[in-house]
Amino acid sequence: MTGAGTAWGDAAPVTPGEFARAMVALDGFEPAPAVAVGLSGGGDSLALILLLRHWVAERGGSLLALTVDHGLRAESAAEAEVVGTVMAGLGVSHRILRWEGDKPAAGLQAAARTARHRLLADACVEAGILHLALAHHRDDQAETVLLRLARGSGTDGLAGMAAVRADGAVRVIRPLLGFSHGRLLATCRAAGLEWVEDPSNHNPRFARARLRAARDLLGGEGLDGDRLCEVARRAGRARAALEQATADLLAQTATIHPEGWVTLAPAPLLAAPEEIALRALAQALATVGGPGPVRDEALDRLLGLLADGKGGTLGGCVVRMRRGAVMVAREPAAVERRLVQPGSRILWDGRFDLRVSSRWDQPVEVAALGAAGWRKGAGQGGHSGLSELPVPVRESLPSLWLGTEMLAIPTIGGAYGVDAEGQAPMDRANFRPISPLGRPAFTVVSDRRGII
């Protein structure tokens, strides 16, 4: 590990008292908190380990360091092992998580970030840990705001990274957003620890590295870290108000159906301020279709169509008026196909917590029911009301296949029962989407106005 060549100047280390006050602002911890840290081995995450180690010890809690080896550089595995040795010296439990499989040729950083978050969240769930701490700091926040400003983001994007965010069963916390990179490196130096330098931080292929190179020039024009973080603070305050108004509107308008679709009462939706109505529609789309980038121009157009009693497709969803309500259903053609082992439990299509029973003697494919499946399997499973469902809803339901033979339609809803031998006797699915209506929806980027 090395910190050589990294200036830390006269920055003072972060004190335990300062860090404790930052943690108080995050709130929501159990009496003996169990916390995991995403540890890259860099100075920022190493400083977070040092500060959290003291904080959890004072409260009788526990700390787990998680290092993701992306496998993108030949030396990454050895570096992860070195990080583990440092953690052993500090008395901190440590696990290495490896990103297996093929790596994309394009969008590598985004794919690596997605894989990292998934691996970290899965490890927290496996360990029974609620809080996942990430080491993003004040300078990261400033860079995030600048990047999003360059991409035309609105209020949500300019609010930057949230200090606390729910991510499924995990609570992501960022306690270092108020501290500079220099102070975190000073914290490591004061403890006599060195750190790994990630060469991608200085690779001009990546936007963040290019922004760092231009930092002095931007600061000379008044666009320094303090100014950008103030933008984030003010935009964050506005975002919180908009999210509350959206939650209030959804409470009035939305009905969630166990078959994986949502209906919205059109009168309050269309009467709401446009920004709030767009946000509510975006959250309904994310709940049914999964999180993904949708431009606000497309949302504008869809909301206008609904006002005219029409509809369309967007975000992997079919949206139209039906029986006096706005129907938001999964687009059957967009549904994933997936091979699943008997006895497995998976999140299928980002919507259903699916248990495939152990009665099958080989892997089965989970796919959308479709028109052909409906003709073959009507009446199978606990689906006495299938014929009453809207066609897109029915055709996007999960079904089990072996080649061209449809085996079963999993029962929707209810508990996962087991037989006397502890095996699940039924194929069963519960609607538990990645993006429930109670949380912010996907990012929408605009080059002019509106939500990001």
Side-chain angles (χ1 to χ4, degrees):
M1 303 177 81
T2 177
T6 302
W8 63 297
D10 298 323
V14 179
T15 67
E18 288 178 299
F19 184 74
R21 287 190 290 275
M23 293 295 283
V24 167
L26 302 180
D27 203 7
F29 296 99
E30 58 270 33
V35 183
V37 177
L39 175 63
S40 67
D44 306 325
S45 58
L46 190 56
L48 180 56
I49 287 284
L50 292 170
L51 294 164
L52 271 173
R53 184 181 63 152
H54 183 274
W55 186 84
V56 299
E58 283 193 332
R59 290 156 181 79
S62 61
L63 186 61
L64 173 64
L66 299 170
T67 298
V68 176
D69 174 14
H70 294 94
L72 300 178
R73 295 181 292 113
E75 60 271 26
S76 64
E79 288 173 354
E81 295 292 345
V82 171
V83 171
T85 301
V86 174
M87 291 301 100
L90 294 174
V92 175
S93 299
H94 180 253
R95 281 188 59 196
I96 297 174
L97 312 173
R98 290 187 167 83
W99 183 21
E100 307 287 355
D102 296 333
K103 310 299 189 294
L108 182 58
Q109 276 209 325
R113 183 169 56 250
T114 299
R116 180 168 63 250
H117 288 176
R118 173 179 54 80
L119 289 166
L120 290 172
D122 289 349
C124 287
V125 171
E126 182 181 332
I129 293 175
L130 173 62
H131 314 285
L132 172 62
L134 302 180
H136 298 112
H137 48 74
R138 190 197 67 175
D139 299 344
D140 290 329
Q141 183 75 299
E143 288 172 2
T144 297
V145 173
L146 194 57
L147 277 170
R148 293 181 178 178
L149 181 64
R151 293 170 182 168
S153 293
T155 302
D156 284 9
L158 296 182
M161 294 176 284
V164 181
R165 173 175 69 83
D167 187 6
V170 177
R171 181 174 179 258
V172 176
I173 59 174
R174 295 184 174 94
L176 300 181
L177 288 179
F179 304 106
S180 70
H181 178 59
R183 293 199 65 190
L184 299 178
L185 297 189
T187 303
C188 295
R189 298 265 183 142
L193 293 178
E194 295 181 334
W195 56 90
V196 172
E197 287 288 351
D198 185 347
S200 70
N201 288 336
H202 308 287
N203 190 332
R205 286 177 54 204
F206 304 121
R208 282 188 182 271
R210 295 194 296 273
L211 283 178
R212 288 172 191 140
R215 185 180 296 163
D216 291 343
L217 176 63
L218 295 170
E221 297 298 325
L223 206 58
D224 58 12
D226 289 339
R227 183 72 56 86
L228 290 165
C229 287
E230 179 62 15
V231 169
R233 186 188 70 80
R234 293 179 179 180
R237 187 171 58 195
R239 178 173 66 185
L242 291 167
E243 287 176 353
Q244 183 59 56
T246 304
D248 292 344
L249 176 60
L250 287 168
Q252 297 176 48
T253 63
T255 302
I256 301 173
H257 301 272
E259 300 87 6
W261 58 303
V262 170
T263 51
L264 303 171
L269 177 71
L270 298 174
E274 184 182 12
E275 178 75 7
I276 306 305
L278 288 168
R279 286 170 175 265
L281 184 56
Q283 289 199 26
L285 289 169
T287 297
V288 176
V294 173
R295 297 187 67 85
D296 72 333
E297 291 89 343
L299 278 172
D300 276 335
R301 188 162 51 250
L302 181 58
L303 190 64
L305 288 169
L306 292 172
D308 292 335
K310 302 174 184 177
T313 58
L314 185 62
C317 296
V318 177
V319 184
R320 64 171 182 247
M321 300 298 299
R322 178 182 183 269
R323 297 182 181 177
V326 177
M327 175 195 74
V328 183
R330 187 74 163 114
E331 189 177 3
V335 172
E336 73 166 340
R337 304 178 70 92
R338 186 169 174 183
L339 199 64
V340 180
Q341 296 292 331
S344 297
R345 184 174 179 178
I346 64 167
L347 177 65
W348 178 76
D349 198 44
R351 298 181 294 148
F352 283 105
D353 179 5
L354 174 67
R355 173 71 61 83
V356 176
S357 78
S358 55
R359 59 183 167 143
W360 311 113
D361 59 6
Q362 59 185 302
V364 298
E365 186 176 43
V366 186
L369 178 61
W374 167 241
R375 288 193 297 270
K376 292 180 179 181
Q380 287 196 34
H383 293 303
S384 58
L386 262 184
S387 60
E388 299 300 316
L389 292 173
V391 171
V393 173
R394 188 174 67 212
E395 293 187 358
S396 63
L397 287 173
S399 58
L400 308 184
W401 296 76
L402 189 60
T404 58
E405 178 189 0
M406 198 192 75
L407 303 176
I409 303 172
T411 300
I412 301 296
Y416 292 110
V418 295
D419 60 20
E421 298 179 355
Q423 300 296 323
M426 299 180 65
D427 306 291
R428 190 179 294 275
N430 287 304
F431 183 41
R432 290 177 184 162
I434 292 175
S435 297
L437 279 176
R439 61 174 288 182
F442 40 60
T443 299
V444 183
V445 179
S446 169
D447 57 5
R448 51 185 185 86
R449 63 174 179 82
I451 62 177
I452 84 155

